[in-house]
């Protein structure tokens, strides 16, 4: 079961999209009528919204009104209340939810769509509600709607203008989106949906592979659902024929109109399923060129373009002196611009017919003319604002798709590299489980690093632009002052948050690559990566302390893990300033466990440098203090750092002065007991590492005694 790393798109009611067919003579009349109904229903919905604040149950009572228009208003209001009124959520009962689910089969398509959309919003805003919804059997009507919609669309795909097709598309979109949210949160629902829709999945793939013809966003939501439902799902994967997969791959790789967001999601599905037909590595190699296109757009530049549109809207609103007026009310009050222009023409004709009257009434005429011109100018500005608002909505959605595509791609590669690493570790543990193979060679005074051969997949990834792409995306986001942007454009804070999440996940992917790549693969980019990571972590390293108010701990953990990886690749890179190194040591004492492990690993490498010789006593006291930590990973890494720094005979005087030998001897039974008591709670890899440290500790003690 997978989880798509993106900000979920919520449902906003748009009844005009369920209007009549697109090919008839009265199309414009129908659209105008739909717009009038939409504006009227919005006004009523706003009034009901306000009333529901005091009487939350009023909206649920209106759902059973005989008039479909009144039911439409009820669900329109419900959608907004769920999204914008936290207090309203507390008033929703299981009985209310049952009533909403009953309208999943409402006779009016718009009401049905809105009912599904309302609960789709609820699963986003309040994921805990999913358990209750499952108990109320939300899956049965949802799956029924999906099956009927797919059947309608697949049989009548050429009749795209047919009202039934348009309605089926909307029902499918909302139902699929709702189901995606549920399957992400519930393993039970995931399994049930997989079995129930087994026959429909090939048709869904064909819908996804069809380029154009469907309503906007349907392909996106189908792609999202398939990416979730195909992960770790062999029975489903084997039900999808290779011909369907090949057709989808061709659509994704050859399409010039499919968004990069849909391409990345479709690639996830192709990977999830394709690995069951041929080697997973081969599928990854085939899809990687498609996935890397996600990095082709600069998300920061897109955010700047969005801010420019917002700036223009602000200026226009100031010109029109729009303060607290409601937008819909302004639109209703506006005269059509064509009528205004015609009035001006008529006025000019009247002026030509009677110049004498114009001269006599010049004062009044000029005043009226000025008023009319002022009104016309204001209405023109309002119209420009409307155009900009639509443009902003479009550009924002495109930008969100770009960022989501980058993050999906980053997440996919993060999982790919992690899984490859886990498989390598498992193979290594299976083949090296006797004490001799675990020996950490300290007899020559140096820790021996086992040279591991990289997998064919890592070799392939290193030959692509993935590492460069990650460096560039991290760099451009890091150079963008998101905090200042958020202060200036408070309405766009969510976009800044999405950008920061993308930055954080890209850092994680970079860290995984640095762990997996051999030094030669990273060497051309070492300095660039180091400088970038130091910049990200500079505040804490500079001050020698972590301030949670100023530092993103998750980001700092990833940055220090990456710095540690680079130091292992090149132990002479960076940290040539003694003050920086001292601050790093101070930081180790106060850092949380996950970060402390990284810092101790860095200390173990830096402590071997000549520049740190005067500090060996302080470093030793630091490591002795870290041995008292309750975390097994911290203890294991602390022992490794002691082995690395104090193995050579030249440091024996300081080693003796610290009483390190006695400390380590006393720690042997403590470590043995720790392994025994935590054996059932630690994962196998960490337990194996800790046991290795125990063996090496006894050998290190013997080795140091022999040096006397």
């Amino acid at each position: 079961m997978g989880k798509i790393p993106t900000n979920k798109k919520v449902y906003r009611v748009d009844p005009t999209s369920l209007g009549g067919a697109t090919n008839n003579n009265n199309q414009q009349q129908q659209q105008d009528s739909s717009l009038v109904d939409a504006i009227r229903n919005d006004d009523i919905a706003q009034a009901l919204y306000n009333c529901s604040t005091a009487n939350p149950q009023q909206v649920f009572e209106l759902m059973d009104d005989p008039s479909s228009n009144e039911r439409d208003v009820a669900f329109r209001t419900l959608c907004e209340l769920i999204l914008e009124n936290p207090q309203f959520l507390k008033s929703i009962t299981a009985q209310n939810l049952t009533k909403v689910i009953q309208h999943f089969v409402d006779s009016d398509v718009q009401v049905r769509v809105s009912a599904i959309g309302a609960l789709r919003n609820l699963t986003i805003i309040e994921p805990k509600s999913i358990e209750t919804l499952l108990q109320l059997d939300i899956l049965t009507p949802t799956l029924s709607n999906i099956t009927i919609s797919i059947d309608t669309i697949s049989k009548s795909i050429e009749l795209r203008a047919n009202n039934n097709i348009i309605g089926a598309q909307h029902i499918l979109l909302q139902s699929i989106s709702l189901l995606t949210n549920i399957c992400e949160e519930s393993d039970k629902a995931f399994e049930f949906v997989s079995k129930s829709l087994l026959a429909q999945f090939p048709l869904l793939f064909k819908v996804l592979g069809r380029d154009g013809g469907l309503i906007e966003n349907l392909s996106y939501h189908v792609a999202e659902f398939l990416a979730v439902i195909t992960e770790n799902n062999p029975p489903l994967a084997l039900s999808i024929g290779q011909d369907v997969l090949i057709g989808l791959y061709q659509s994704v790789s050859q399409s010039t109109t499919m968004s990069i967001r849909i391409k990345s999601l479709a690639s996830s599905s192709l990977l999830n399923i394709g690995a069951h037909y041929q080697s997973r590595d081969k599928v990854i190699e085939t899809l990687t060129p498609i996935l890397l296109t996600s990095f082709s757009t600069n998300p920061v530049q897109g955010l700047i373009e969005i801010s420019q549109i917002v700036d223009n809207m602000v200026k226009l609103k100031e010109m029109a002196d729009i303060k607290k007026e409601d937008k819909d009310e302004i639109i209703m009050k506006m005269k059509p611009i064509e009528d205004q222009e015609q009035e001006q023409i008529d006025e000019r004709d009247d002026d030509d017919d009677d110049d004498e009257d114009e001269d006599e009434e010049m004062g009044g005429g000029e005043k009226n003319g000025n008023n009319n011109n002022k009104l016309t100018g204001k209405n023109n500005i309002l119209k420009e604002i409307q155009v900009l608002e639509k443009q902003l909505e479009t550009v924002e959605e495109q930008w969100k798709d770009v960022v989501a595509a980058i993050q999906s791609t980053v997440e996919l590669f993060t999982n790919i590299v992690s899984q490859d690493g886990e498989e390598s570790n498992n193979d290594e543990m299976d083949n090296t489980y006797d004490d001799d193979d675990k020996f950490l060679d300290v007899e020559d005074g140096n820790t021996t690093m086992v040279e591991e051969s990289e997998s064919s997949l890592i070799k392939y990834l290193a030959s692509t632009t993935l590492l460069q792409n990650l460096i560039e995306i991290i760099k451009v986001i890091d150079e963008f002052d998101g905090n200042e942007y958020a202060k200036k454009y408070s309405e766009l804070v969510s976009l800044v948050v999405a950008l920061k999440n993308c930055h954080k996940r890209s850092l994680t992917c970079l860290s995984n690559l640095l762990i997996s790549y051999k030094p030669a693969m990273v060497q051309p980019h070492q300095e660039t990566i180091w400088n970038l990571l130091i910049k990200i972590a500079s505040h804490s390293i500079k001050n020698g302390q972590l301030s949670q108010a100023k530092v993103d701990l998750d980001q700092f953990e990833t940055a220090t893990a990456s710095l540690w990886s680079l130091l292992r690749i090149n132990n002479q890179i960076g940290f040539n300033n003694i003050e920086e190194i001292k601050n790093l040591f101070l930081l180790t004492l106060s850092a949380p466990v996950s970060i402390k492990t990284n810092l101790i690993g860095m200390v173990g490498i830096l402590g071997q440098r000549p520049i740190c010789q005067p500090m060996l006593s302080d470093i030793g006291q630091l490591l002795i203090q870290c041995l008292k930590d309750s975390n097994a990973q911290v203890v294991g890494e602390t022992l490794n750092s002691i082995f690395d720094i104090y193995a050579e005979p030249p440091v024996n005087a300081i080693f003796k002065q610290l009483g390190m030998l006695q400390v380590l001897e006393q720690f042997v039974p403590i470590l043995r007991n720790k392994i025994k008591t935590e054996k059932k709670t630690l994962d196998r890899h960490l337990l194996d590492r800790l046991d290795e440290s125990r063996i090496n500790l006894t050998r290190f003690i013997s080795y140091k005694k022999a040096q006397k």
Side-chain angles (χ1 to χ4, degrees):
M1 185 175 67
K3 196 170 184 65
I4 299 299
T6 182
N7 293 323
K8 287 292 186 180
K9 296 183 178 181
V10 298
Y11 171 66
R12 299 282 184 178
V13 182
D14 180 17
T16 58
S17 60
L18 295 183
T22 57
N23 291 318
N24 59 46
N25 295 330
N26 64 345
Q27 174 190 354
Q28 188 61 47
Q29 272 187 322
Q30 291 182 352
Q31 289 179 350
D32 290 344
S33 176
S34 295
L35 183 59
V36 170
D37 289 342
I39 293 173
R40 173 187 174 278
N41 285 1
D42 276 341
D43 290 339
I44 298 174
Q46 183 60 47
L48 181 59
Y49 182 99
N50 296 334
C51 293
S52 297
T53 302
N55 181 10
Q57 298 305 313
Q58 186 174 357
V59 66
F60 294 104
E61 293 170 2
L62 192 61
M63 289 177 185
D64 294 330
D65 195 280
S67 169
S68 61
N69 193 63
E70 298 302 312
R71 298 199 302 277
D72 174 40
V73 170
F75 283 104
R76 182 190 302 274
T77 307
L78 179 64
C79 290
E80 296 303 314
L81 284 168
I82 289 172
L83 293 176
E84 299 179 2
N85 193 327
Q87 292 301 318
F88 178 80
L89 293 177
K90 298 177 181 179
S91 68
I92 299 178
T93 65
Q95 185 178 0
N96 296 149
L97 294 176
T98 299
K99 184 174 289 190
V100 177
I101 294 172
Q102 288 172 348
H103 286 278
F104 277 28
V105 293
D106 196 283
S107 58
D108 186 278
V109 174
Q110 176 58 59
V111 173
R112 195 186 315 174
V113 169
S114 297
I116 302 170
L119 294 190
R120 167 188 164 190
N121 288 351
L122 183 63
T123 58
I124 295 172
I125 302 299
E126 192 62 58
K128 293 180 180 178
S129 65
I130 290 175
E131 184 176 349
T132 302
L133 292 173
L134 289 173
Q135 292 173 357
L136 298 175
D137 194 23
I138 193 174
L139 292 180
T140 298
T142 304
L143 291 169
S144 176
N145 275 325
I146 290 175
T147 302
I148 294 171
S149 298
I150 293 175
D151 185 62
T152 302
I153 293 171
S154 61
K155 287 182 178 178
S156 311
I157 198 65
E158 298 304 323
L159 304 176
R160 293 170 186 155
N162 186 286
N163 283 341
N164 291 335
I165 302 299
I166 295 173
Q169 291 170 343
H170 277 272
I171 292 170
L172 178 60
L173 189 157
Q174 299 307 326
S175 300
I176 282 288
S177 300
L178 173 62
L179 216 53
T180 301
N181 298 344
I182 293 174
C183 289
E184 282 183 325
E185 298 292 336
S186 170
D187 291 337
K188 184 178 179 180
F190 181 90
E191 295 173 4
F192 183 78
V193 169
S194 297
K195 295 176 182 177
S196 301
L197 287 181
L198 204 59
Q200 278 72 37
F201 279 115
L203 294 174
L204 273 177
F205 274 92
K206 290 181 180 179
V207 168
L208 178 58
R210 192 175 298 277
D211 194 6
L214 301 176
I215 62 172
E216 187 178 2
N217 283 330
L218 177 57
S219 293
Y220 163 81
H221 290 288
V222 170
E224 183 183 41
F225 173 68
L226 291 175
V228 169
I229 206 70
T230 56
E231 187 167 347
N232 298 326
N233 198 338
L236 172 60
L238 296 173
S239 74
I240 308 299
Q242 290 195 55
D243 57 330
V244 175
L245 290 182
I246 292 172
L248 177 58
Y249 171 75
Q250 291 174 341
S251 297
V252 172
S253 60
Q254 298 173 9
S255 174
T256 58
T257 59
M258 185 179 288
S259 74
I260 57 174
R261 175 59 175 142
I262 296 178
K263 283 188 176 184
S264 65
L265 289 171
S267 296
S268 297
S269 299
L270 286 167
L271 174 59
N272 293 339
I273 298 175
H276 292 277
Y277 287 95
Q278 56 181 308
S279 76
R280 183 171 178 271
D281 289 4
K282 183 65 177 177
V283 177
I284 292 170
E285 290 181 21
T286 303
L287 295 173
T288 293
I290 298 174
L291 290 167
L292 292 180
T293 60
S294 299
F295 295 106
S296 61
T297 304
N298 183 339
V300 171
Q301 185 58 43
L303 203 54
I304 292 172
E305 291 174 4
I306 289 173
S307 67
Q308 290 172 345
I309 297 174
V310 174
D311 284 337
N312 291 335
M313 288 173 58
V314 170
K315 291 176 183 177
L316 286 172
K317 288 180 179 181
E318 289 175 351
M319 289 172 60
D321 194 29
I322 300 174
K323 295 182 180 178
K324 295 183 179 180
E325 289 185 87
D326 182 77
K327 183 185 74 172
D328 290 335
E329 185 178 348
I330 291 174
I331 294 172
M332 294 295 289
K333 289 179 179 179
M334 283 174 57
K335 290 184 179 181
I337 193 65
E338 294 82 2
D339 293 347
Q340 298 167 19
E341 292 172 350
Q342 186 60 46
E343 288 178 6
Q344 291 177 349
I345 293 171
D346 292 341
E347 288 173 4
R348 286 197 294 270
D349 290 342
D350 291 341
D351 290 344
D352 292 337
D353 291 340
D354 195 353
D355 291 338
E356 186 175 346
D357 290 341
E358 179 187 1
D359 292 336
E360 292 176 356
E361 301 177 4
M362 183 174 294
E366 286 180 353
K367 185 176 180 180
N368 291 335
N370 289 336
N371 288 337
N372 288 334
N373 289 335
K374 185 176 181 180
L375 178 61
T376 301
K378 184 172 182 177
N379 285 340
N380 281 335
I381 291 173
L382 292 172
K383 193 169 185 179
E384 287 183 47
I385 292 173
Q386 284 182 275
V387 172
L388 284 176
E389 286 177 337
K390 291 180 180 179
Q391 181 185 354
L392 178 63
E393 183 179 353
T394 301
V395 174
E396 268 195 46
E397 283 302 310
Q398 292 172 346
W399 183 87
K400 288 177 182 177
D401 279 351
V402 166
V403 173
I406 294 172
Q407 191 163 335
S408 288
T409 297
V410 165
E411 208 74 32
L412 195 59
F413 280 118
T414 300
N415 294 338
I416 287 170
V417 176
S418 296
Q419 185 172 341
D420 185 78
E422 289 172 4
E423 290 173 356
S424 299
N425 286 333
N426 289 336
D427 292 342
E428 184 181 339
M429 285 190 291
D430 289 339
N431 296 325
T432 60
Y433 207 76
D434 59 89
D435 285 353
D436 290 336
D437 287 331
K438 291 180 182 181
F439 176 57
L440 181 62
D441 185 8
V442 295
E443 293 181 5
D444 61 355
N446 294 293
T447 301
T448 300
M449 294 184 65
V450 179
E451 186 71 16
E452 296 180 2
S453 59
E454 73 280 9
S455 68
S456 59
L457 175 60
I458 294 300
K459 283 183 179 179
Y460 168 73
L461 292 178
S463 71
T464 70
T465 61
L466 177 58
L467 184 59
Q468 297 95 304
N469 291 142
L470 286 170
I471 295 170
E472 186 59 30
I473 201 70
I474 293 169
K475 184 177 179 181
V476 296
I477 298 177
D478 189 66
E479 291 175 349
F480 176 68
D481 194 341
N483 293 332
E484 284 301 314
Y485 182 93
K487 290 178 183 177
K488 185 176 180 181
Y489 305 100
S490 57
E491 65 270 45
L492 302 179
V493 169
S494 62
L495 305 189
V496 177
V497 172
L499 196 64
K500 287 187 175 182
N501 287 337
C502 186
H503 181 262
K504 186 182 298 184
R505 297 308 298 161
S506 297
L507 268 175
T508 301
C509 190
L510 174 65
S511 181
N512 283 6
L513 288 184
L514 293 177
I515 292 171
S516 302
Y517 280 14
K518 293 187 70 174
M521 299 173 177
V522 183
Q523 197 278 330
H525 309 285
Q526 281 183 25
E527 289 294 334
T528 300
I529 297 172
W530 181 268
N531 292 333
L532 180 59
L533 292 170
I534 283 293
K535 181 182 177 184
I536 292 171
S538 62
H539 175 81
S540 297
I541 291 177
K542 180 178 179 181
N543 296 320
Q545 59 183 354
L546 276 175
S547 170
Q548 294 191 19
K550 296 182 178 180
V551 178
D552 184 323
L553 294 181
D554 289 339
Q555 178 174 287
F556 189 70
E557 177 188 346
T558 307
T560 52
S562 300
L563 289 169
W564 183 21
S565 296
L566 280 176
L567 278 171
R568 289 199 296 267
I569 291 171
N570 178 0
N571 61 14
Q572 295 304 312
I573 192 172
F575 283 114
N576 297 313
N577 182 294
I578 193 67
E579 290 302 319
E580 274 189 339
I581 296 175
K582 285 182 179 179
N583 285 332
L584 186 68
F585 294 162
L586 289 173
L587 188 62
T588 304
L589 287 173
S590 60
V593 168
S594 57
I595 297 174
K596 183 180 288 188
T597 303
N598 299 335
L599 297 176
I600 292 171
M602 294 169 69
V603 168
I605 297 172
L606 295 173
Q608 300 174 67
R609 292 183 181 180
I611 193 176
C612 290
Q613 290 300 305
M615 301 174 58
L616 286 183
S617 179
D618 293 334
I619 294 174
Q621 291 176 12
L622 166 68
L623 294 175
I624 290 173
Q625 186 68 26
C626 290
L627 277 179
K628 299 176 183 178
D629 199 289
S630 61
N631 183 270
Q633 196 166 356
V634 170
V635 169
E637 201 53 55
T638 300
L639 287 172
N640 289 338
S641 292
I642 291 174
F643 301 156
D644 289 338
I645 297 173
Y646 298 97
E648 295 284 2
V651 300
N652 281 350
I654 297 175
F655 188 80
K656 182 177 180 180
Q657 180 184 349
L658 288 167
M660 185 77 79
L661 185 61
Q662 291 81 2
V663 171
L664 294 179
E665 286 179 324
Q666 293 172 3
F667 192 71
V668 171
I670 296 174
L671 181 59
R672 187 181 294 113
N673 185 60
K674 188 176 187 66
I675 294 172
K676 183 178 180 180
T677 56
E678 298 186 22
K679 187 174 183 179
K680 294 182 179 180
T681 58
L682 295 175
D683 64 60
R684 181 186 171 187
H685 179 63
L686 182 54
L687 182 64
D688 208 59
R689 287 280 305 277
L690 202 61
D691 196 40
E692 180 181 351
S693 296
R694 176 188 62 81
I695 295 169
N696 290 323
L697 174 59
T698 57
R699 292 176 178 179
F700 183 79
I701 291 172
S702 299
Y703 168 69
K704 294 304 290 184
K705 285 181 176 179
Q707 287 181 352
K708 292 181 178 180

